[in-house]
Amino acid sequence: MSDVSDPQHPISLPDKPALEGLEAKWNARWAENGTYRFDRRRARPEVYSIDTPPPTVSGSLHVGHVFSYTHTDIVARFHRMRGKAVFYPMGWDDNGLPTERRVQNYYGVKCDPSLPYDPAFEPPQTPGKQPVAVSRPNFVELCLQLTKEDEKAFEHLWRYLGLSVDWSMTYATIDRRAQRVSQASFLRLLKRGIAYQLEAPTLWDVDFRTAVAQAELEDREQPGAYHRIRFRRQGQSTAAGTHGAVEIETTRPELIPACVALVAHPDDERYRPLFGTEVVTPLFGAPVPVRAHALADPEKGTGIAMICTFGDLTDVTWWRELTLPVRAVIMPNGTLRPVAWGTPGWESGDATRAQQAYDQLAGLSATKARMRIVELLRESADLVGEPKPITHPVKFYEKGDRPLEIITSRQWFIKTMAHREELLARGREITWHPEYMRHRFENWVNGLAGDWCISRQRFFGVPFPLWYPVGADGVVDYSRPLVPDEPRLPIDPSTDVPDGYGQEQRREPGGFVGDPDVMDTWATSSLTPQIAGGWLSDPDLWERVFPMDLRPQGHDIIRTWLFTTVLRSLLEHKSLPWFNAALSGFVLDPDRKKMSKSKGNVVTPMALLEQFGSDGVRYWSASVRPGGDPAFDVNDPGQIKVGRRLAIKILNAARFALLQAEPRGPIIEPLDRGMLTSLSRLVDEATAQLEAYDYARVLERTERFFWSFCDDYLELVKARRYGDFTTEGAASANSAMLVALSTLLRLFAPYLPFVTEEVWSWWRPGSVHQARWPSSVEAVEAIGGDDAAALTVFLQSQAAVADVRRLKALAKRPAKTPIARAVLPARFEPLAPAARDFQAAMHIRELVFADVAESELTFAEEPVA
RNA sequence: GGGCGCGUGGCUCAGCGGUAGAGCAUCCGCUUCACACGCGGGGGGUCGAUGGUUCGAUUCCAUCCGCGCCCACCA
């Protein structure tokens, strides 16, 4: 084994090995030596490529990051040791709303896109109460400035944790490369008619004043109330009493002015006579038809609902399928817009009264308008009974604070509905880890309600690379966008000028305007394989890494990141983006609640790493099975401490093995051969399981072997290796120990990169992380074949050791108490070839196997000779 | 309402057809020449409930209960 006896590399051991300082020491060395550099000369079959999740840099770091990124790193390190060139870049997700919000608070500014760029702008020293308005380019500069700082902190953490990333390949979702990819892909989709714009009702956040996508919704339980409202039949006056009136129930009475119809189920006998007739809205006297639609649920409320433009997504469906008019009242900022009743579209039987009522609502937020209109309805006796308080789920933008509204606006979409079947088929081609996560993906695809809205009315994002011509009449013609040539990308239409125009023609009749919007952050993040892999910019690299091998990510973003990446790759390349998707869970607090800043239960990882060592923290991460959601208690970081102890044990066991590593020679002793046979079987198992991404099991098995290696095997061979018997026996023990140590270090290397590298450096050249992954062939070579007989010797020795220790402890004898005579049951007899080691380790003078049920020990009173 | 996962000793979890496992915690013992950041040992579980398949079930199937997550056109 040239592997374990390299005369060129002398053993050098520290007197008192310790974990402290290993992170700094080895990170510096790895950076210097380019240990994790991607070898881009290797062809695709020899490459293992990873589509790293770019963390949101404006968010705070917590143990969940450390947890899931460790899993990916273990896989990366395994494949690197298997001989692959590992493509493992890091990305930063810095565009988007979270960064905008952080910049606003950090610098005390707000973006006003109407302002011109001020090259001399400096943010206030300390943020004032009133935010300073800045131009969009200035705002973007501040975003870039702050994310640079955040990215430094992230990189420091990742390095400290020991991620084997090639830092020369880092990208950011706002950098030029990402913008170019994102814009080019969009333009190609536009050309093919897959990206399109539409004036349509869209989910809208009134605080951020932007459209949001279905994937960004979440339901939150909110207090509300059912209001029973009376609609009179057409032709009846207010004074005509209640006969023939229709009662509906609504949680949003403030939308009565936006009501365009009532709807009931076609088979509902109660309302059947009304279909085709008209009723009038209370307060506003607007005539609205009563219609039939299968979505109306006779069980809900009174069985008949009012359709408003727009109260919820069902309204949109009804509005579209029943071809109803629009009567929108909610403005982008969430308040009710001014309306002139009696004008076209706002017909009323009593325009004066309608105006009087409406004027009390105009300008109010939806919530305030609701309170006011309830009073008005009560006064006009159109409210039946009192509102009944309820709690019901309301749709929110996941980052928003107020319920979403639905607002009609011009937005860009990417077609998804047309590709549902193919997406499902592609999803089945991906290997999911764990397998059951595929259901989440299919669930989502099956539940898609509409095409993907990708435009956002925000500032820090990738702009749409489009301008629109302005007609001689000053009207913008959105139907004929001006498109830049691909080589010009990336462009910012707010500063760049379309070909054939001059800057002075901006916003002028006969000139142009830039598209003011930016793309949804997922519209760029869905292209991370293309961005990282050099699509468009580095075809040579692209050939070597795409489709990628692995997408690791959290299961909470299957519907966003995973789904959109599959979609974009399908649309762009008719290909899967990667072959494997590994979904890691997230860390829960001790009460099994998801960690989040708002709950205040976030644990920051740096202190943990410093206190217990990166290897200890990585051990905890790796011990959770794929997809699992571990609970973590900072006050009782059990598994981290266990990991730290394991790392320390590795230091000490290695020191023991190397302390007196001579003489060396053929591995002839059955005990040694049995131990190595056992180890070689572990290696086969570990390799297969890591190929299947089952890192947790491999760690558990390796660790179990290692502890018994230390506690049983090393104890058993101690006397022999110190030369108490023959030179050949000592040589056999030493050589076996070194083979085992070399193998174990490499098995542990993906999990505990620092301690294994440290120990490797005591006696082996190069980095353990570039060493080849152990194979059973190695161990088998060292002993000339799988030795099943020796394995039995080894296993029976271990069992007998446990038995004798138990009896000695029960007899309350100190461990060193000699045993004059030990009678062991015959089942232990197979250990006989190792009897000398066994007797020495257990201090047994006379060993007998007999037909007894239990071992019998006779203790000697005098100490061992 | 649909889907998925999980329910194993005080805690965190592994096992998944053949007499219950680990670590932590707890208790007892040991200054054993690699390690007291250590070593050895003990106690502690009718494996959520009920049926079924089987010679045999914690392990397979069905139903139910509890917890969690994802999804859904909840007026």
mmCIF file of all heavy atoms in Angstrom, chain A residues 658-699:
data_model
loop_
_atom_site.group_PDB
_atom_site.id
_atom_site.type_symbol
_atom_site.label_atom_id
_atom_site.label_comp_id
_atom_site.label_asym_id
_atom_site.label_seq_id
_atom_site.Cartn_x
_atom_site.Cartn_y
_atom_site.Cartn_z
ATOM 1 N N LEU A 658 -0.525 6.981 15.014
ATOM 2 C CA LEU A 658 0.688 7.474 14.366
ATOM 3 C C LEU A 658 1.856 7.628 15.330
ATOM 4 O O LEU A 658 3.001 7.794 14.903
ATOM 5 C CB LEU A 658 0.396 8.813 13.687
ATOM 6 C CG LEU A 658 -0.613 8.747 12.534
ATOM 7 C CD1 LEU A 658 -1.047 10.142 12.117
ATOM 8 C CD2 LEU A 658 -0.027 7.979 11.350
ATOM 9 N N LEU A 659 1.537 7.566 16.632
ATOM 10 C CA LEU A 659 2.550 7.845 17.650
ATOM 11 C C LEU A 659 3.740 6.901 17.529
ATOM 12 O O LEU A 659 4.880 7.285 17.737
ATOM 13 C CB LEU A 659 1.893 7.701 19.041
ATOM 14 C CG LEU A 659 2.449 8.541 20.173
ATOM 15 C CD1 LEU A 659 2.611 10.002 19.741
ATOM 16 C CD2 LEU A 659 1.505 8.460 21.368
ATOM 17 N N GLN A 660 3.415 5.655 17.237
ATOM 18 C CA GLN A 660 4.499 4.671 17.121
ATOM 19 C C GLN A 660 4.141 3.782 15.934
ATOM 20 O O GLN A 660 3.649 2.685 16.098
ATOM 21 C CB GLN A 660 4.577 3.851 18.417
ATOM 22 C CG GLN A 660 5.717 2.862 18.416
ATOM 23 C CD GLN A 660 5.704 2.024 19.676
ATOM 24 O OE1 GLN A 660 5.540 2.536 20.786
ATOM 25 N NE2 GLN A 660 5.883 0.722 19.515
ATOM 26 N N ALA A 661 4.348 4.334 14.746
ATOM 27 C CA ALA A 661 3.853 3.664 13.538
ATOM 28 C C ALA A 661 4.858 2.682 12.945
ATOM 29 O O ALA A 661 4.687 2.215 11.841
ATOM 30 C CB ALA A 661 3.457 4.702 12.499
ATOM 31 N N GLU A 662 5.896 2.373 13.717
ATOM 32 C CA GLU A 662 6.868 1.380 13.274
ATOM 33 C C GLU A 662 6.908 0.265 14.301
ATOM 34 O O GLU A 662 6.650 0.521 15.478
ATOM 35 C CB GLU A 662 8.259 2.025 13.147
ATOM 36 C CG GLU A 662 8.348 3.148 12.156
ATOM 37 C CD GLU A 662 8.140 2.712 10.706
ATOM 38 O OE1 GLU A 662 8.340 1.511 10.423
ATOM 39 O OE2 GLU A 662 7.777 3.554 9.894
ATOM 40 N N PRO A 663 7.247 -0.956 13.940
ATOM 41 C CA PRO A 663 7.536 -1.420 12.580
ATOM 42 C C PRO A 663 6.247 -1.622 11.788
ATOM 43 O O PRO A 663 5.176 -1.649 12.355
ATOM 44 C CB PRO A 663 8.201 -2.776 12.844
ATOM 45 C CG PRO A 663 7.548 -3.260 14.095
ATOM 46 C CD PRO A 663 7.300 -2.029 14.922
ATOM 47 N N ARG A 664 6.410 -1.727 10.480
ATOM 48 C CA ARG A 664 5.270 -2.059 9.644
ATOM 49 C C ARG A 664 5.579 -3.283 8.794
ATOM 50 O O ARG A 664 6.747 -3.572 8.529
ATOM 51 C CB ARG A 664 4.923 -0.878 8.746
ATOM 52 C CG ARG A 664 3.984 0.105 9.462
ATOM 53 C CD ARG A 664 3.648 1.260 8.595
ATOM 54 N NE ARG A 664 4.459 2.420 8.967
ATOM 55 C CZ ARG A 664 4.420 3.560 8.272
ATOM 56 N NH1 ARG A 664 3.695 3.653 7.180
ATOM 57 N NH2 ARG A 664 5.139 4.563 8.662
ATOM 58 N N GLY A 665 4.547 -3.986 8.404
ATOM 59 C CA GLY A 665 4.781 -5.197 7.625
ATOM 60 C C GLY A 665 3.474 -5.806 7.186
ATOM 61 O O GLY A 665 2.425 -5.166 7.313
ATOM 62 N N PRO A 666 3.526 -7.024 6.681
ATOM 63 C CA PRO A 666 2.315 -7.677 6.181
ATOM 64 C C PRO A 666 1.248 -7.791 7.273
ATOM 65 O O PRO A 666 1.569 -8.002 8.441
ATOM 66 C CB PRO A 666 2.814 -9.070 5.770
ATOM 67 C CG PRO A 666 4.286 -8.959 5.663
ATOM 68 C CD PRO A 666 4.723 -7.861 6.564
ATOM 69 N N ILE A 667 0.007 -7.653 6.862
ATOM 70 C CA ILE A 667 -1.107 -7.739 7.810
ATOM 71 C C ILE A 667 -1.525 -9.203 7.892
ATOM 72 O O ILE A 667 -2.227 -9.714 7.023
ATOM 73 C CB ILE A 667 -2.261 -6.829 7.367
ATOM 74 C CG1 ILE A 667 -1.755 -5.383 7.303
ATOM 75 C CG2 ILE A 667 -3.444 -6.941 8.316
ATOM 76 C CD1 ILE A 667 -2.698 -4.420 6.624
ATOM 77 N N ILE A 668 -1.028 -9.874 8.927
ATOM 78 C CA ILE A 668 -1.181 -11.328 9.026
ATOM 79 C C ILE A 668 -2.102 -11.755 10.153
ATOM 80 O O ILE A 668 -2.661 -12.837 10.130
ATOM 81 C CB ILE A 668 0.196 -11.999 9.217
ATOM 82 C CG1 ILE A 668 0.936 -11.328 10.376
ATOM 83 C CG2 ILE A 668 1.017 -11.923 7.931
ATOM 84 C CD1 ILE A 668 2.213 -12.035 10.770
ATOM 85 N N GLU A 669 -2.261 -10.900 11.152
ATOM 86 C CA GLU A 669 -3.062 -11.287 12.319
ATOM 87 C C GLU A 669 -4.545 -11.316 11.959
ATOM 88 O O GLU A 669 -5.072 -10.367 11.366
ATOM 89 C CB GLU A 669 -2.841 -10.294 13.464
ATOM 90 C CG GLU A 669 -1.491 -10.418 14.125
ATOM 91 C CD GLU A 669 -1.430 -11.627 15.075
ATOM 92 O OE1 GLU A 669 -2.507 -12.045 15.565
ATOM 93 O OE2 GLU A 669 -0.310 -12.128 15.308
ATOM 94 N N PRO A 670 -5.261 -12.386 12.331
ATOM 95 C CA PRO A 670 -6.690 -12.491 12.004
ATOM 96 C C PRO A 670 -7.510 -11.304 12.513
ATOM 97 O O PRO A 670 -8.417 -10.834 11.830
ATOM 98 C CB PRO A 670 -7.104 -13.778 12.719
ATOM 99 C CG PRO A 670 -5.853 -14.572 12.843
ATOM 100 C CD PRO A 670 -4.741 -13.590 12.995
ATOM 101 N N LEU A 671 -7.179 -10.815 13.698
ATOM 102 C CA LEU A 671 -7.942 -9.688 14.229
ATOM 103 C C LEU A 671 -7.829 -8.487 13.302
ATOM 104 O O LEU A 671 -8.816 -7.811 12.987
ATOM 105 C CB LEU A 671 -7.433 -9.330 15.627
ATOM 106 C CG LEU A 671 -8.292 -8.342 16.406
ATOM 107 C CD1 LEU A 671 -9.621 -8.978 16.804
ATOM 108 C CD2 LEU A 671 -7.558 -7.841 17.640
ATOM 109 N N ASP A 672 -6.627 -8.209 12.849
ATOM 110 C CA ASP A 672 -6.391 -7.072 11.955
ATOM 111 C C ASP A 672 -7.106 -7.288 10.627
ATOM 112 O O ASP A 672 -7.730 -6.378 10.074
ATOM 113 C CB ASP A 672 -4.891 -6.917 11.688
ATOM 114 C CG ASP A 672 -4.092 -6.773 12.975
ATOM 115 O OD1 ASP A 672 -4.693 -6.370 13.997
ATOM 116 O OD2 ASP A 672 -2.885 -7.070 12.957
ATOM 117 N N ARG A 673 -7.012 -8.497 10.137
ATOM 118 C CA ARG A 673 -7.629 -8.813 8.853
ATOM 119 C C ARG A 673 -9.151 -8.749 8.945
ATOM 120 O O ARG A 673 -9.834 -8.296 8.024
ATOM 121 C CB ARG A 673 -7.175 -10.204 8.394
ATOM 122 C CG ARG A 673 -5.658 -10.287 8.204
ATOM 123 C CD ARG A 673 -5.190 -11.717 7.989
ATOM 124 N NE ARG A 673 -5.765 -12.296 6.776
ATOM 125 C CZ ARG A 673 -5.300 -12.070 5.547
ATOM 126 N NH1 ARG A 673 -4.236 -11.307 5.389
ATOM 127 N NH2 ARG A 673 -5.874 -12.616 4.506
ATOM 128 N N GLY A 674 -9.659 -9.179 10.092
ATOM 129 C CA GLY A 674 -11.115 -9.112 10.293
ATOM 130 C C GLY A 674 -11.602 -7.676 10.359
ATOM 131 O O GLY A 674 -12.641 -7.317 9.781
ATOM 132 N N MET A 675 -10.858 -6.830 11.065
ATOM 133 C CA MET A 675 -11.234 -5.420 11.168
ATOM 134 C C MET A 675 -11.269 -4.790 9.774
ATOM 135 O O MET A 675 -12.207 -4.067 9.428
ATOM 136 C CB MET A 675 -10.238 -4.699 12.092
ATOM 137 C CG MET A 675 -10.522 -3.242 12.342
ATOM 138 S SD MET A 675 -9.817 -2.157 11.078
ATOM 139 C CE MET A 675 -8.055 -2.358 11.366
ATOM 140 N N LEU A 676 -10.252 -5.090 8.968
ATOM 141 C CA LEU A 676 -10.195 -4.476 7.631
ATOM 142 C C LEU A 676 -11.268 -5.046 6.706
ATOM 143 O O LEU A 676 -11.784 -4.336 5.843
ATOM 144 C CB LEU A 676 -8.803 -4.664 7.029
ATOM 145 C CG LEU A 676 -7.718 -3.802 7.692
ATOM 146 C CD1 LEU A 676 -6.346 -4.096 7.073
ATOM 147 C CD2 LEU A 676 -8.040 -2.314 7.575
ATOM 148 N N THR A 677 -11.610 -6.298 6.895
ATOM 149 C CA THR A 677 -12.702 -6.866 6.101
ATOM 150 C C THR A 677 -14.010 -6.136 6.432
ATOM 151 O O THR A 677 -14.773 -5.748 5.544
ATOM 152 C CB THR A 677 -12.849 -8.368 6.386
ATOM 153 O OG1 THR A 677 -11.637 -9.021 5.997
ATOM 154 C CG2 THR A 677 -14.011 -8.960 5.598
ATOM 155 N N SER A 678 -14.225 -5.941 7.707
ATOM 156 C CA SER A 678 -15.416 -5.207 8.137
ATOM 157 C C SER A 678 -15.424 -3.798 7.543
ATOM 158 O O SER A 678 -16.447 -3.314 7.049
ATOM 159 C CB SER A 678 -15.437 -5.154 9.667
ATOM 160 O OG SER A 678 -16.496 -4.368 10.120
ATOM 161 N N LEU A 679 -14.268 -3.161 7.580
ATOM 162 C CA LEU A 679 -14.169 -1.806 7.047
ATOM 163 C C LEU A 679 -14.433 -1.773 5.541
ATOM 164 O O LEU A 679 -15.097 -0.874 5.025
ATOM 165 C CB LEU A 679 -12.777 -1.232 7.361
ATOM 166 C CG LEU A 679 -12.471 0.170 6.848
ATOM 167 C CD1 LEU A 679 -13.483 1.171 7.400
ATOM 168 C CD2 LEU A 679 -11.057 0.595 7.256
ATOM 169 N N SER A 680 -13.927 -2.769 4.832
ATOM 170 C CA SER A 680 -14.096 -2.752 3.377
ATOM 171 C C SER A 680 -15.570 -2.916 3.013
ATOM 172 O O SER A 680 -16.055 -2.341 2.033
ATOM 173 C CB SER A 680 -13.251 -3.846 2.727
ATOM 174 O OG SER A 680 -13.920 -5.080 2.780
ATOM 175 N N ARG A 681 -16.289 -3.659 3.828
ATOM 176 C CA ARG A 681 -17.733 -3.785 3.577
ATOM 177 C C ARG A 681 -18.442 -2.471 3.864
ATOM 178 O O ARG A 681 -19.378 -2.088 3.153
ATOM 179 C CB ARG A 681 -18.308 -4.921 4.420
ATOM 180 C CG ARG A 681 -17.725 -6.265 3.966
ATOM 181 C CD ARG A 681 -18.346 -7.429 4.681
ATOM 182 N NE ARG A 681 -17.708 -8.682 4.238
ATOM 183 C CZ ARG A 681 -18.093 -9.896 4.628
ATOM 184 N NH1 ARG A 681 -19.106 -10.012 5.480
ATOM 185 N NH2 ARG A 681 -17.487 -10.953 4.183
ATOM 186 N N LEU A 682 -17.987 -1.778 4.904
ATOM 187 C CA LEU A 682 -18.552 -0.454 5.196
ATOM 188 C C LEU A 682 -18.322 0.494 4.019
ATOM 189 O O LEU A 682 -19.209 1.273 3.641
ATOM 190 C CB LEU A 682 -17.894 0.121 6.453
ATOM 191 C CG LEU A 682 -18.200 1.588 6.752
ATOM 192 C CD1 LEU A 682 -19.649 1.749 7.194
ATOM 193 C CD2 LEU A 682 -17.267 2.147 7.820
ATOM 194 N N VAL A 683 -17.143 0.425 3.434
ATOM 195 C CA VAL A 683 -16.811 1.319 2.327
ATOM 196 C C VAL A 683 -17.763 1.105 1.153
ATOM 197 O O VAL A 683 -18.290 2.066 0.569
ATOM 198 C CB VAL A 683 -15.351 1.112 1.880
ATOM 199 C CG1 VAL A 683 -15.092 1.746 0.526
ATOM 200 C CG2 VAL A 683 -14.398 1.682 2.919
ATOM 201 N N ASP A 684 -18.040 -0.137 0.818
ATOM 202 C CA ASP A 684 -18.964 -0.421 -0.290
ATOM 203 C C ASP A 684 -20.351 0.146 -0.007
ATOM 204 O O ASP A 684 -20.987 0.755 -0.866
ATOM 205 C CB ASP A 684 -19.094 -1.936 -0.494
ATOM 206 C CG ASP A 684 -17.908 -2.489 -1.272
ATOM 207 O OD1 ASP A 684 -17.252 -1.684 -1.970
ATOM 208 O OD2 ASP A 684 -17.642 -3.699 -1.179
ATOM 209 N N GLU A 685 -20.779 -0.071 1.219
ATOM 210 C CA GLU A 685 -22.102 0.404 1.611
ATOM 211 C C GLU A 685 -22.155 1.934 1.544
ATOM 212 O O GLU A 685 -23.096 2.522 1.003
ATOM 213 C CB GLU A 685 -22.334 -0.081 3.039
ATOM 214 C CG GLU A 685 -23.759 -0.077 3.510
ATOM 215 C CD GLU A 685 -23.828 -0.448 4.998
ATOM 216 O OE1 GLU A 685 -23.019 -1.284 5.464
ATOM 217 O OE2 GLU A 685 -24.687 0.114 5.678
ATOM 218 N N ALA A 686 -21.116 2.570 2.068
ATOM 219 C CA ALA A 686 -21.079 4.030 2.113
ATOM 220 C C ALA A 686 -21.081 4.619 0.703
ATOM 221 O O ALA A 686 -21.773 5.603 0.422
ATOM 222 C CB ALA A 686 -19.844 4.492 2.880
ATOM 223 N N THR A 687 -20.332 4.003 -0.173
ATOM 224 C CA THR A 687 -20.248 4.521 -1.533
ATOM 225 C C THR A 687 -21.608 4.469 -2.220
ATOM 226 O O THR A 687 -22.070 5.445 -2.817
ATOM 227 C CB THR A 687 -19.224 3.706 -2.345
ATOM 228 O OG1 THR A 687 -17.991 3.689 -1.623
ATOM 229 C CG2 THR A 687 -19.006 4.318 -3.716
ATOM 230 N N ALA A 688 -22.262 3.321 -2.089
ATOM 231 C CA ALA A 688 -23.569 3.167 -2.724
ATOM 232 C C ALA A 688 -24.573 4.158 -2.138
ATOM 233 O O ALA A 688 -25.376 4.762 -2.860
ATOM 234 C CB ALA A 688 -24.071 1.740 -2.531
ATOM 235 N N GLN A 689 -24.532 4.337 -0.834
ATOM 236 C CA GLN A 689 -25.509 5.217 -0.207
ATOM 237 C C GLN A 689 -25.250 6.683 -0.520
ATOM 238 O O GLN A 689 -26.178 7.470 -0.663
ATOM 239 C CB GLN A 689 -25.531 4.969 1.303
ATOM 240 C CG GLN A 689 -26.228 3.656 1.639
ATOM 241 C CD GLN A 689 -25.959 3.181 3.042
ATOM 242 O OE1 GLN A 689 -25.042 3.664 3.705
ATOM 243 N NE2 GLN A 689 -26.742 2.225 3.497
ATOM 244 N N LEU A 690 -23.991 7.053 -0.632
ATOM 245 C CA LEU A 690 -23.716 8.442 -0.993
ATOM 246 C C LEU A 690 -24.084 8.708 -2.448
ATOM 247 O O LEU A 690 -24.528 9.800 -2.792
ATOM 248 C CB LEU A 690 -22.251 8.797 -0.728
ATOM 249 C CG LEU A 690 -22.000 9.359 0.673
ATOM 250 C CD1 LEU A 690 -20.512 9.485 0.942
ATOM 251 C CD2 LEU A 690 -22.674 10.713 0.865
ATOM 252 N N GLU A 691 -23.911 7.713 -3.292
ATOM 253 C CA GLU A 691 -24.370 7.871 -4.673
ATOM 254 C C GLU A 691 -25.867 8.167 -4.692
ATOM 255 O O GLU A 691 -26.364 8.864 -5.563
ATOM 256 C CB GLU A 691 -24.097 6.587 -5.485
ATOM 257 C CG GLU A 691 -22.638 6.302 -5.790
ATOM 258 C CD GLU A 691 -22.085 7.154 -6.924
ATOM 259 O OE1 GLU A 691 -22.833 7.994 -7.458
ATOM 260 O OE2 GLU A 691 -20.893 7.001 -7.258
ATOM 261 N N ALA A 692 -26.578 7.613 -3.719
ATOM 262 C CA ALA A 692 -28.022 7.824 -3.632
ATOM 263 C C ALA A 692 -28.372 8.997 -2.714
ATOM 264 O O ALA A 692 -29.514 9.136 -2.299
ATOM 265 C CB ALA A 692 -28.705 6.554 -3.151
ATOM 266 N N TYR A 693 -27.404 9.836 -2.381
ATOM 267 C CA TYR A 693 -27.602 11.043 -1.584
ATOM 268 C C TYR A 693 -28.016 10.771 -0.142
ATOM 269 O O TYR A 693 -28.525 11.649 0.534
ATOM 270 C CB TYR A 693 -28.635 11.979 -2.249
ATOM 271 C CG TYR A 693 -28.161 12.479 -3.581
ATOM 272 C CD1 TYR A 693 -28.315 11.707 -4.723
ATOM 273 C CD2 TYR A 693 -27.505 13.702 -3.688
ATOM 274 C CE1 TYR A 693 -27.849 12.138 -5.940
ATOM 275 C CE2 TYR A 693 -27.033 14.143 -4.909
ATOM 276 C CZ TYR A 693 -27.195 13.357 -6.033
ATOM 277 O OH TYR A 693 -26.713 13.775 -7.230
ATOM 278 N N ASP A 694 -27.776 9.550 0.315
ATOM 279 C CA ASP A 694 -28.166 9.265 1.692
ATOM 280 C C ASP A 694 -27.002 9.527 2.635
ATOM 281 O O ASP A 694 -26.464 8.630 3.261
ATOM 282 C CB ASP A 694 -28.667 7.822 1.791
ATOM 283 C CG ASP A 694 -29.534 7.611 3.015
ATOM 284 O OD1 ASP A 694 -29.597 8.534 3.854
ATOM 285 O OD2 ASP A 694 -30.140 6.543 3.135
ATOM 286 N N TYR A 695 -26.634 10.805 2.709
ATOM 287 C CA TYR A 695 -25.451 11.172 3.494
ATOM 288 C C TYR A 695 -25.616 10.880 4.982
ATOM 289 O O TYR A 695 -24.661 10.525 5.655
ATOM 290 C CB TYR A 695 -25.121 12.653 3.280
ATOM 291 C CG TYR A 695 -26.326 13.540 3.400
ATOM 292 C CD1 TYR A 695 -26.807 13.910 4.629
ATOM 293 C CD2 TYR A 695 -27.021 13.967 2.262
ATOM 294 C CE1 TYR A 695 -27.939 14.691 4.740
ATOM 295 C CE2 TYR A 695 -28.148 14.746 2.364
ATOM 296 C CZ TYR A 695 -28.614 15.103 3.618
ATOM 297 O OH TYR A 695 -29.739 15.859 3.731
ATOM 298 N N ALA A 696 -26.832 11.010 5.484
ATOM 299 C CA ALA A 696 -27.028 10.838 6.930
ATOM 300 C C ALA A 696 -26.714 9.404 7.359
ATOM 301 O O ALA A 696 -26.087 9.166 8.384
ATOM 302 C CB ALA A 696 -28.454 11.215 7.327
ATOM 303 N N ARG A 697 -27.149 8.465 6.542
ATOM 304 C CA ARG A 697 -26.917 7.071 6.884
ATOM 305 C C ARG A 697 -25.425 6.737 6.835
ATOM 306 O O ARG A 697 -24.912 6.008 7.686
ATOM 307 C CB ARG A 697 -27.688 6.191 5.904
ATOM 308 C CG ARG A 697 -27.718 4.738 6.299
ATOM 309 C CD ARG A 697 -28.397 3.933 5.222
ATOM 310 N NE ARG A 697 -29.805 4.274 5.102
ATOM 311 C CZ ARG A 697 -30.784 3.408 5.367
ATOM 312 N NH1 ARG A 697 -30.494 2.194 5.757
ATOM 313 N NH2 ARG A 697 -32.034 3.765 5.211
ATOM 314 N N VAL A 698 -24.736 7.265 5.858
ATOM 315 C CA VAL A 698 -23.309 6.984 5.738
ATOM 316 C C VAL A 698 -22.560 7.514 6.953
ATOM 317 O O VAL A 698 -21.693 6.840 7.511
ATOM 318 C CB VAL A 698 -22.734 7.601 4.440
ATOM 319 C CG1 VAL A 698 -21.220 7.480 4.412
ATOM 320 C CG2 VAL A 698 -23.360 6.933 3.228
ATOM 321 N N LEU A 699 -22.927 8.697 7.381
ATOM 322 C CA LEU A 699 -22.269 9.261 8.558
ATOM 323 C C LEU A 699 -22.525 8.362 9.769
ATOM 324 O O LEU A 699 -21.612 8.044 10.524
ATOM 325 C CB LEU A 699 -22.791 10.676 8.829
ATOM 326 C CG LEU A 699 -22.252 11.327 10.108
ATOM 327 C CD1 LEU A 699 -20.730 11.441 10.054
ATOM 328 C CD2 LEU A 699 -22.881 12.703 10.319
#
